[in-house]
Amino acid sequence: MENKSETKTIVKSIRMLEGVLKTTPSATQRGRVKKEIDLLRQKLAEMYPGEDIKAVEEAVEHDFLRGFVAEVRDFSGYETLKHVDIQPFSNFKDDQEINEAASILVYFEERIWGAISDQHTKLDFSNSGERDTLYRKLDQCTRALKIFCQTIEDIGKSKSTDYVSQLNLMRVKQGRLFLYDIHDFFKGVQKFLTSLISESDFGGSMLLNPADPIVYADYEKYTTFQGTTVINALKFMKIFVTEALDVIKVPEIKKG
């Protein structure tokens, strides 16, 4: 990010003026402050043509926040999420939401999701295809997280302040895309499980082995549902993704 010092000054001025905008009772002053903010953002747009100016501002702010430890949200009130340990995928204070989402994703993929594999859950043809689609979405989430983590690693290694600022801008965008992908994945899983469970409860045949106990192979590391029936494992999984969606909010972006 070129003109880093000037960019920092502009962003600091915008934040200060936004504080004035929130507190002043004077309509005249609010109008004047809004104009000043618009002019400053216009200056940023000229400095960074084609970039998302909000993302530029956030990237500059995040550059100041490296190394801070954010407060970890308390998940003790959740039936399933309380077992998830939040890992520091990013050491940026404002990435705590991503740390939470990534920790939930890793826990889900390692300990929960395997119950719906063909090894344990037998589905009719059309729903097997839907399950495959969800596997691809999970892979997309995993790739998005890896890209985000690689950018964090590159920031830590870089000795160029301008390059670090460019990487911070990438990190902000990648973090939003990751949150979008994981929210979309969990929404899909929730809808899929709701359909399977409801249909099975009414004696349908989409789920072919609801009463079978889940038995893990020796090579499987986690045995979360050992001895649990398939239908009960899927019901637990639905609670997990519902709680995850309560925590993971979709960011205000349009993908692509």
Side-chain angles (χ1 to χ4, degrees), residues 69-225:
V69 178
E71 182 179 352
V72 177
R73 190 171 354 184
D74 182 12
F75 287 162
S76 61
Y78 289 98
E79 180 180 347
T80 63
L81 292 189
K82 64 184 178 184
H83 302 298
V84 178
D85 291 326
I86 306 304
Q87 303 298 319
F89 289 84
S90 168
N91 61 344
F92 288 82
K93 182 178 180 181
D94 285 1
D95 281 342
Q96 186 59 17
E97 185 178 3
I98 295 171
N99 287 337
E100 292 168 355
S103 298
I104 290 169
L105 177 68
V106 170
Y107 186 95
F108 179 78
E109 185 174 13
E110 289 182 346
R111 301 168 185 261
I112 309 294
W113 180 239
I116 206 170
S117 68
D118 183 60
Q119 177 184 345
H120 302 299
T121 300
K122 307 302 180 184
L123 301 174
D124 66 6
F125 180 77
S126 63
N127 284 283
S128 292
E130 179 64 23
R131 175 171 56 191
D132 290 342
T133 298
L134 291 172
Y135 266 107
R136 289 192 291 272
K137 286 189 174 185
L138 176 58
D139 286 341
Q140 184 172 321
C141 292
T142 302
R143 286 196 302 272
L145 178 58
K146 285 181 179 178
I147 292 170
F148 174 81
C149 289
Q150 183 60 56
T151 300
I152 297 293
E153 185 177 339
D154 291 344
I155 290 172
K157 291 178 179 177
S158 178
K159 296 184 178 3
S160 166
T161 54
D162 284 344
Y163 185 48
V164 164
S165 292
Q166 292 175 20
L167 289 171
N168 268 320
L169 185 56
M170 289 171 56
R171 176 180 60 81
V172 172
K173 293 179 179 178
Q174 290 164 357
R176 288 177 180 173
L177 286 174
F178 168 66
L179 290 175
Y180 183 99
D181 285 342
I182 190 173
H183 189 275
D184 181 60
F185 168 66
F186 279 136
K187 284 291 285 186
V189 174
Q190 183 188 50
K191 181 179 178 181
F192 183 56
L193 291 174
T194 298
S195 176
L196 289 180
I197 292 167
S198 298
E199 206 260 358
S200 180
D201 284 346
F202 284 96
S205 58
M206 293 189 333
L207 177 59
L208 304 178
N209 64 333
D212 285 359
I214 290 179
V215 179
Y216 289 94
D218 292 340
Y219 62 81
E220 294 183 270
K221 183 176 179 181
Y222 296 104
T223 58
T224 307
F225 301 110

Side-chain angles (χ1 to χ4, degrees), residues 50-66:
E51 294 287 357
D52 180 345
I53 297 307
K54 183 178 179 182
V56 171
E57 293 177 24
E58 290 178 354
V60 172
E61 287 185 304
H62 290 163
D63 200 15
F64 296 131
L65 295 171
R66 283 186 70 197

